[in-house]
Amino acid sequence: ALTGLLLVTQWLVVIDTVRAIAEWQAATPLAWVFLWLTVLGMIVLHELGHAVTCAVHGGDVREMGVLFLFFQPCLYANVNDAWTFPDWRKRLYVVAAGVFTEFVVGSLALWLWFLTAPGTVIHLLAFQAAAVCALGSVLFNLNPLMKLDGYYALSDWLDNANLRQRASAHLNERVHAWF
């Protein structure tokens, strides 16, 4: 809550920082490398969040690796053991752990941004890390329309393992009823 309040009260500074990052990335090709490393680092921490939470609740994490999803390389943690947990809350914890990890890292990065001098590299990198965490979580991982964390969290919360298939079948029934 405090981090959200910080973001709201510093909104004009946020806009200035976004402009500064855009100028920095246009002027410094190395800035794109920092952005790529930030995204890669957050994905690693996100997947470690899933893996550690699964292990804490008694599941085995048999592998972590790289796969191609939507024609892009993605990191993953095989936490399929979470499906064997009898308590749906523990399954939900495993699913939510990646986004929670991003939330914590993003909040810390936002505070680092606030506490550092504007225009410095650490100031820009901290804001960039906070933005990567926020956008990655909200636009991708929490979106229940993509078969990522948001979809699996909704599926666990509703206790409906084949949510997408059932929703598609229901939609097909409704469309056929209209025609």
Side-chain angles (χ1 to χ4, degrees), residues 33-45 75 128-129 132:
V33 173
F34 286 130
L35 177 61
W36 185 79
L37 290 173
T38 302
V39 170
L40 184 62
M42 279 317 309
I43 293 170
V44 167
L45 291 174
L75 301 175
Q128 190 169 270
V132 164

Side-chain angles (χ1 to χ4, degrees), residues 65-76:
V66 179
L67 59 82
F68 284 89
L69 185 65
F70 307 118
F71 304 105
Q72 293 185 354
C74 299
L75 301 175
Y76 72 94

Side-chain angles (χ1 to χ4, degrees), residues 18-105:
V18 170
R19 284 189 194 123
I21 287 175
E23 291 169 6
W24 180 52
Q25 287 179 331
T28 312
L30 191 60
W32 290 101
V33 173
F34 286 130
L35 177 61
W36 185 79
L37 290 173
T38 302
V39 170
L40 184 62
M42 279 317 309
I43 293 170
V44 167
L45 291 174
H46 176 101
E47 294 305 324
L48 282 172
H50 290 303
V52 168
T53 305
C54 185
V56 163
H57 290 293
D60 287 331
V61 181
R62 291 181 176 82
E63 65 180 344
M64 293 181 76
V66 179
L67 59 82
F68 284 89
L69 185 65
F70 307 118
F71 304 105
Q72 293 185 354
C74 299
L75 301 175
Y76 72 94
N78 184 346
V79 292
N80 286 340
D81 267 14
W83 287 101
T84 64
F85 297 164
D87 184 2
W88 66 271
R89 286 180 207 90
K90 288 183 180 180
R91 290 193 307 268
L92 192 57
Y93 294 156
V94 172
V95 169
V99 172
F100 181 76
T101 301
E102 286 188 57
F103 174 75
V104 169
V105 172

Side-chain angles (χ1 to χ4, degrees), residues 106-119:
S107 294
L108 293 172
L110 196 61
W111 279 101
L112 181 62
W113 164 77
F114 177 69
L115 296 172
T116 55

